[in-house]
Amino acid sequence: MADGGLPVIARFEVRHRNYLAPDGSINRPLPAFASDANLLVSLYRAMVLLRNFDRKAVALQRTGRLGTYAVSLGQEAVSVGIASAMREEDVLLPSYRDNGALIWRGVKLEEILLFWGGDERGNHFSGPVQDFPFCVPVGSQAPHAAGVGYAFKLRKEPRVAVCLFGDGATSKGDVYEAMNFAGVHKLPVVFVATNNQWAISVPLRLQTGCETLAQKAIAAGFIGEQVDGSDVVAVRAAAEEAVAAARDGQGPRFIEALAYRLGDHTTSDDASRYRQETEVQARWKEEPIARLRAFLVGQKMWSKAEEERLAAECHERVEAAVERYLATEPRRPETMFDHLYAELPEVYAAQRRELAGEGDV
């Protein structure tokens, strides 16, 4: 025999979860929560608000009133679906593209704008106080999540750390180390990789030889599942099960949300330099908002009149948030020193006094 008759000592599998087809039709029996029209409409409203907010944020950046910004175009279902399965006492560790999760958990739109406008007060947000701020360094929130999960286990608290990152982060050692630590200690952590096919300009095929990202959890000793990240019902269902298992002491879980980044990586990027427009246009047929809307309309849960009211409400809410953001007085420059040390060393204290115009330094 070619394999020398060696025995097979282990087999593994990765499952793919999907309920709604791109046209809104149903592929398989829906989870129980999908009969709750109010919940599904809430998910839809949250995704539409996020897309409207993203559009306005880009306009602000293009007119010099906001810094570099990362849109969620095409992957709104991931952050919204994941956050909707969390409890308030759980802890979110988001990447820079997870505004939908923050908004669902109570962060104000103007607070998000403050952050992307370069004002750290945006991280002192209205959501759960122990949620982590945006993580811009790729993958570095994964070890933080393992630490949070370890604290929950040590304190015997029935809480879960939920860590979101992109496909590019799975190529970082930080993520592997965090997953390994979480697997060894059976920590209540849910790792979520939004596989939008691109790590800035690097396609997935040049990042990994793995057939799925979900299978990377196997090496760390826990379950990895792939879901259709353009199907918010699938994302919510996977997150609900993963969070419940982690809370129940079954250890960590990994969710690969398969989506597509329809926009540029950030407002500093031009994706047309490294991918074909025909590819992007083909992917628009799978996007999550139209998919859920088609399902809701088909189930008589949504109407044209409600769609028009929602559009008006989102416009009003976003514009009001922008007005509050633009009306916020900038921080005085000397405040950059206020949270560096418990007791500010004299070398910095002198610089602070100089910036404050407090006489001789």
Side-chain angles (χ1 to χ4, degrees), residues 145-173:
V148 172
Y150 193 84
F152 291 162
K153 183 170 183 178
L154 193 65
R155 297 171 182 170
K156 296 181 170 53
E157 296 176 350
R159 303 167 66 189
V160 179
V162 179
C163 181
L164 289 83
F165 42 78
D167 49 277
T170 65
S171 299
K172 296 290 294 294

Side-chain angles (χ1 to χ4, degrees), residues 163-227:
C163 181
L164 289 83
F165 42 78
D167 49 277
T170 65
S171 299
K172 296 290 294 294
D174 312 52
V175 173
Y176 285 113
E177 291 161 18
M179 290 170 59
N180 186 66
F181 185 84
V184 167
H185 296 282
K186 293 189 171 11
L187 303 181
V189 182
V190 176
F191 298 98
V192 182
T194 303
N195 181 1
N196 66 17
Q197 313 297 305
W198 293 93
I200 308 183
S201 59
V202 181
L204 187 68
R205 63 181 173 79
L206 296 181
Q207 294 181 58
T208 180
C210 290
E211 187 173 350
T212 70
L213 297 181
Q215 72 197 65
K216 296 190 176 189
I218 295 170
F222 52 93
I223 295 172
E225 177 183 351
Q226 186 185 83
V227 304

